[in-house]
Amino acid sequence: FGELSERDEFQAEEVAAEADAICVPEFERYVGIPATESKLSLMHLSPTLASWDSDDRSVTCLLFNPEGALRNSMIRSKV
């Protein structure tokens, strides 16, 4: 989880870049290897234009297995 920096206008590319800057290091810290080396995938939920106008600045980082369900914790799994 993280919060985006304050800015007046919603700019989708900047929101996505800042969300990546939050989530990519968190993925490595959580899983134990960089996302680029993992079998898992990373995505984030971030503000939309509509939620931005309601002061939404929250980012939620998600990891998932594109090949199926996760059956165990991925903490330090190095998968």
Side-chain angles (χ1 to χ4, degrees):
F1 297 104
E3 292 286 322
L4 299 174
S5 59
E6 289 296 321
R7 64 173 68 86
D8 292 332
E9 293 184 28
F10 178 85
Q11 296 178 330
E13 296 82 16
E14 287 184 19
V15 167
E18 192 171 346
D20 283 343
I22 292 169
C23 292
V24 170
E26 286 301 320
F27 181 99
E28 184 170 353
R29 194 172 5 266
Y30 188 85
V31 176
I33 60 173
T36 55
E37 297 174 18
S38 178
K39 293 179 183 178
L40 302 173
S41 294
L42 169 67
M43 66 179 288
H44 55 76
L45 303 177
S46 56
T48 63
L49 178 57
S51 69
W52 188 267
D53 290 339
S54 298
D55 294 324
D56 179 16
R57 302 296 185 270
S58 299
V59 173
T60 302
C61 307
L62 306 166
L63 63 86
F64 65 97
N65 180 356
E67 296 177 7
L70 295 173
R71 305 240 190 287
N72 299 303
S73 172
M74 294 294 106
I75 296 174
R76 303 280 180 247
S77 65
K78 297 185 179 182
V79 173

